[in-house]
Amino acid sequence: MMTIIKAYYSDIITRASLMQKTEKIIKEPLLEIDGLSTHFKTEHSIVKAVNNISFKINKGETVGIVGESGSGKSVTALSVMNLIPQPPGKIAKGSIIFNSPTLGKIDLVKLSDKELRQIRGNEISMIFQEPMSSLNPVYTCGDQVMEAILVHQKISRIEAQKRTLHLFDQVKLPNPKAIFKAYPHQISGGQIQRVMIAMAMSCNPSLLIADEPTTALDVTVQASILELMEQLRDEHDTAIMFITHDLGVVAEVADRVIVMYRGKIVESGSVWKIFSDPQHPYTKGLLACRPRLDIKLKHLPTVSDFMGVDQKGKIVEKEQNKYKSVGEALLLNVLSEDEIHKKQQFLIKQPPILEVNNLKKHYPTRKNLFGKPVEFMKAVDDVSFNVYPGETLGLVGESGCGKTTLGRTILRLLEPTSGDIIFEGKSILGYSNRELRSLRKEIQIIFQDPYSSLNPKKTIGDIIMEPMRIHSILKNRKQRKEKALELLKKVQLESKHLNRYPHEFSGGQRQRICIARTLALQPKFIICDESVSALDVSVQAQVLNLLNELKEEFNFTYIFISHDLSVIKFVADRIIVMKEGEIVETGFPNLLFDNPEQAYTKQLIQAIPKGNLEEIRKKILKRSQNRSAPST
């Protein structure tokens, strides 16, 4: 309790001291946005994606822009780069003054395409949100980064190649020489993101715009990328516009924070001020809905607990807000150590619903002359564990550790190399296709990407009813439609959504539709594979609360796969840590986080952005010292 109280009610003297230190770092403005409005024309109306916003970014300063999807963060960044697609979009009004080192003060809105090409990639660089669509599939990764260097810098191809390999090493890409020769489809999404970051940093830009640059990355890689960006800022006096929905990351890197909602700036200030004393109800909601590392919560507060919205989309104070402050929201949701211990002991005293024994999944990587495999990639290697009825087992580890492969092998979407999987006392490895179909009624999976796991040609109603039809649940279409409407209500959607198509919904809504489809079969066991990783922190809180509520109502058992340890700590009753296909540590969340036994687990925990005031204080002081240190 005292931890929370101290975190949100710090002494005034310390706060004032830090504010003074923050003020001292302010330098000459590099970017000045004044009255910017960017609109998009649709068939029925004009969408004001950015609506009359103004702010400045100073040289050597990091400004974090936060808000939910649709708040205007990315459109603001694209407006600065003058990359708004015309039509349907256009910069309706306002100015974007950039203090160019070569051209002096210029309005980016008024520049020609030729003048913009001199600026883009050289003086202003951008890391785009979608790494998979940001690289040209017909060129190697190395050639694409080299091209950016050669276009803007007068150096030879050999020097450009050396610089590219050095950048690949800096962004922690494994085997930089191999990545240099690889095409985008041959590397993972996280590796593509790191190639994009290397490209953006290749010319030491004056302004780096980072649009969700670490969303697809593991916490350890994220930590190294954030450190690299800080190094670039300190060494070259680079300003950074850092766009993210992760407030923990903002706390790590930002000097100032701008909070956007529906195209407008609702609050701005130093990172210390925003985190220690948020004023706007929307800001309070964003801060409160983050899963915590220092405490276990019964229920994650959401944005709607702090504010209401009228019919015109204007924020209004509700007559009876559920919470008045972030501290209050946390205090009223804390689970006591005694409650946690009782639940843990109850779960593990039951017979397991799932037993995984010595499970292996190996992929051949090299064969001899006779076609016999002689080398293997051990995706899952001799893994054993139990899952108990009503439990949420958290499965965590870096990309490539075998989490997803393990989940799919348990479902027999992938056939294991060896081992055994026992569900409700019966081995499922010898099941026929008919028996497997029946089994999948009992064990379901919610996939990572809600965009690709829904059929775009079918209505939401048909998507939810299809599993019921296949497994002969209920007598006819009328009854199944009634059940589908009931399930939509369960996942906080409306009956009018039944006849719409997936493309008409947001990411969070699509994930809820996936959950409704899963519930249609009334399974006993659900595997959630990174099912909230692509969502805003506010939507993530809603989905996590929903999963917990459904678990209590229907007595579900979950395996929850994630690379986000803060999410895992909130949702899991026990945690398994995986590395290179093996289990390295297992334990209850409170014990695992307070006293990890393995060095790998410690490394994962230390890399998590904490986002608490003590860590913010340390970061501010560190940045202040770095900036005041004489350059060498």
Side-chain angles (χ1 to χ4, degrees):
M1 291 289 188
M2 289 305 296
T3 303
I4 308 163
I5 294 167
K6 287 178 181 177
Y8 286 93
Y9 299 96
S10 299
D11 59 281
I12 297 170
I13 297 172
T14 307
R15 187 182 303 171
S17 171
L18 284 162
M19 288 293 289
Q20 288 171 2
K21 287 179 181 293
T22 305
E23 292 299 324
K24 288 179 182 178
I25 66 168
I26 293 178
K27 302 179 182 181
E28 183 183 1
L30 180 72
L31 187 76
E32 298 176 74
I33 294 176
D34 185 22
L36 178 66
S37 293
T38 302
H39 299 169
F40 289 85
K41 188 176 182 180
T42 67
E43 290 183 13
H44 307 293
S45 63
I46 301 293
V47 177
K48 297 179 179 180
V50 173
N51 190 6
N52 194 29
I53 66 170
S54 301
F55 65 92
K56 297 178 182 179
I57 299 179
N58 303 300
K59 290 181 180 179
E61 182 185 32
T62 300
V63 173
I65 302 182
V66 299
E68 299 169 287
S69 294
S71 63
K73 307 185 304 293
S74 294
V75 176
T76 300
L78 292 172
S79 299
V80 172
M81 295 290 285
N82 213 330
L83 289 174
I84 298 297
Q86 301 182 33
K90 70 171 184 177
I91 297 176
K93 65 175 183 177
S95 62
I96 305 172
I97 306 300
F98 177 61
N99 192 359
S100 167
T102 56
L103 302 175
K105 285 195 174 184
I106 50 174
D107 188 347
L108 297 174
V109 176
K110 297 178 180 178
L111 294 187
S112 66
D113 289 342
K114 184 178 179 180
E115 289 170 322
L116 283 167
R117 282 195 293 270
Q118 293 176 353
I119 299 292
R120 293 188 196 130
N122 186 26
E123 296 183 21
I124 303 178
S125 199
M126 184 166 178
I127 304 165
F128 292 94
Q129 186 171 356
E130 293 291 340
M132 301 299 288
S133 59
S134 298
L135 292 178
N136 192 322
V138 300
Y139 292 100
T140 66
C141 296
D143 282 339
Q144 294 187 64
V145 177
M146 275 181 62
E147 181 185 21
I149 296 170
L150 291 169
V151 164
H152 296 292
Q153 297 186 19
K154 296 179 180 179
I155 60 175
S156 67
R157 286 191 65 84
I158 293 173
E159 289 173 322
Q161 181 175 336
K162 286 180 181 178
R163 177 159 176 76
T164 300
L165 289 169
H166 176 65
L167 285 164
F168 283 0
D169 184 59
Q170 279 189 306
V171 296
K172 303 291 192 259
L173 280 166
N175 197 345
K177 290 183 179 179
I179 300 289
F180 186 94
K181 296 177 182 178
Y183 290 88
H185 72 273
Q186 295 176 307
I187 61 177
S188 71
Q191 289 172 338
I192 290 175
Q193 185 68 295
R194 281 177 265 177
V195 171
M196 284 298 303
I197 292 168
M199 185 185 296
M201 293 176 159
S202 61
C203 295
N204 297 327
S206 300
L207 174 64
L208 175 64
I209 301 173
D211 190 1
E212 300 278 6
T214 59
T215 300
L217 305 181
D218 299 316
V219 286
T220 49
V221 177
Q222 174 180 270
S224 66
I225 294 300
L226 296 178
E227 186 179 342
L228 182 60
M229 287 185 176
E230 286 189 338
Q231 183 182 335
L232 177 73
R233 178 190 62 194
D234 294 339
E235 288 183 2
H236 302 281
D237 213 20
T238 301
I240 300 175
M241 183 193 293
F242 197 100
I243 297 169
T244 183
H245 65 266
D246 189 335
L247 285 145
V249 173
V250 166
E252 290 278 305
V253 301
D255 299 305
R256 285 190 297 120
V257 180
I258 292 170
V259 183
M260 291 190 70
Y261 179 76
R262 295 194 175 184
K264 293 185 177 181
I265 295 172
V266 295
E267 187 168 1
S268 63
S270 71
V271 66
W272 179 264
K273 180 179 180 296
I274 294 295
F275 276 76
S276 65
D277 190 26
Q279 297 298 306
H280 199 278
Y282 182 65
T283 310
K284 293 176 184 178
L286 289 180
L287 287 169
C289 66
R290 293 182 302 136
R292 306 282 304 186
L293 287 174
D294 51 353
I295 52 174
K296 180 90 169 177
L297 297 174
K298 303 172 190 175
H299 180 90
L300 284 174
T302 61
V303 169
S304 61
D305 292 331
F306 290 86
M307 55 174 268
V309 180
D310 64 16
Q311 293 181 345
K312 295 181 180 180
K314 185 179 179 182
I315 298 171
V316 292
E317 292 282 351
K318 293 192 290 188
E319 291 182 9
Q320 288 186 331
N321 285 332
K322 192 171 182 180
Y323 308 116
K324 297 296 182 184
S325 69
V326 178
E328 181 186 38
L330 300 180
L331 283 167
L332 295 177
N333 280 289
V334 172
L335 266 172
S336 70
E337 292 291 333
D338 188 50
E339 289 176 291
I340 296 168
H341 181 72
K342 282 181 180 178
K343 184 179 180 183
Q344 290 169 347
Q345 295 307 308
F346 170 76
L347 288 170
I348 62 175
K349 285 178 180 177
Q350 305 173 90
I353 188 173
L354 179 76
E355 300 172 67
V356 176
N357 298 321
N358 307 111
L359 193 66
K360 296 181 181 181
K361 178 60 181 175
H362 296 174
Y363 294 95
T365 55
R366 191 169 70 86
K367 298 179 180 180
N368 62 19
L369 290 172
F370 303 101
K372 183 179 179 181
V374 292
E375 288 184 8
F376 296 87
M377 191 273 286
K378 299 178 180 180
V380 176
D381 194 26
D382 200 25
V383 165
S384 300
F385 61 91
N386 294 337
V387 187
Y388 300 94
E391 178 183 33
T392 299
L393 180 70
L395 195 56
V396 69
E398 296 176 292
S399 296
C401 73
K403 306 186 301 292
T404 296
T405 302
L406 176 58
R408 295 189 179 200
T409 306
I410 289 169
L411 280 166
R412 281 194 62 191
L413 296 175
L414 298 172
E415 289 300 323
T417 303
S418 64
D420 201 4
I421 303 165
I422 300 169
F423 181 70
E424 293 191 318
K426 296 179 182 178
S427 174
I428 67 172
L429 291 190
Y431 276 22
S432 64
N433 287 337
R434 184 176 180 180
E435 289 172 314
L436 274 178
R437 176 175 286 192
S438 178
L439 174 73
R440 287 185 182 134
K441 179 178 176 293
E442 305 295 330
I443 306 178
Q444 282 283 298
I445 184 169
I446 302 171
F447 291 100
Q448 180 174 358
D449 185 2
Y451 292 89
S452 60
S453 55
L454 297 176
N455 190 329
K457 296 181 180 179
K458 291 191 174 185
T459 65
I460 300 310
D462 286 336
I463 286 170
I464 296 172
M465 288 188 284
E466 184 179 32
M468 292 189 272
R469 179 181 57 79
I470 290 171
H471 290 278
S472 302
I473 294 173
L474 301 177
K475 294 180 180 179
N476 52 48
R477 182 177 173 84
K478 182 181 178 181
Q479 289 183 348
R480 289 171 192 143
K481 183 177 179 180
E482 289 174 358
K483 184 65 175 178
L485 288 168
E486 180 188 327
L487 291 170
L488 283 178
K489 189 176 179 181
K490 284 281 182 195
V491 298
Q492 298 159 11
L493 293 173
E494 299 175 38
S495 57
K496 66 182 181 182
H497 294 143
L498 194 73
N499 296 316
R500 295 184 183 177
Y501 289 85
H503 73 270
E504 298 179 73
F505 296 88
S506 69
Q509 289 173 321
R510 291 190 201 196
Q511 197 61 283
R512 291 185 212 176
I513 292 163
C514 291
I515 293 170
R517 178 177 61 182
T518 298
L519 295 178
L521 296 177
Q522 299 178 350
K524 296 177 181 177
F525 197 104
I526 299 175
I527 296 174
C528 302
D529 186 8
E530 297 276 11
S531 52
V532 297
S533 62
L535 305 180
D536 289 325
V537 67
S538 52
V539 179
Q540 174 183 273
Q542 295 168 14
V543 173
L544 290 174
N545 287 335
L546 174 63
L547 290 172
N548 276 345
E549 288 162 12
L550 294 171
K551 174 184 168 182
E552 294 299 321
E553 184 176 349
F554 296 101
N555 198 31
F556 290 141
T557 303
Y558 292 124
I559 289 181
F560 198 96
I561 299 169
S562 180
H563 67 269
D564 189 331
L565 276 85
S566 56
V567 167
I568 285 287
K569 183 166 185 185
F570 167 73
V571 80
D573 299 303
R574 281 188 306 132
I575 297 175
I576 287 176
V577 182
M578 286 190 70
K579 181 185 181 185
E580 296 177 356
E582 299 179 349
I583 293 175
V584 296
E585 191 163 359
T586 305
F588 295 121
N590 50 337
L591 300 176
L592 196 71
F593 277 78
D594 292 342
N595 190 28
E597 294 179 0
Q598 300 299 318
Y600 178 69
T601 310
K602 292 177 184 177
Q603 181 186 355
L604 289 178
I605 293 170
Q606 288 169 358
I608 305 169
K610 306 300 186 296
N612 59 50
L613 294 181
E614 183 57 36
E615 291 299 317
I616 293 172
R617 179 188 287 113
K618 290 176 183 176
K619 287 286 181 181
I620 292 173
L621 293 174
K622 182 182 175 183
R623 287 199 290 268
S624 179
Q625 289 167 359
N626 289 343
R627 285 160 173 160
S628 61
S631 58
T632 56

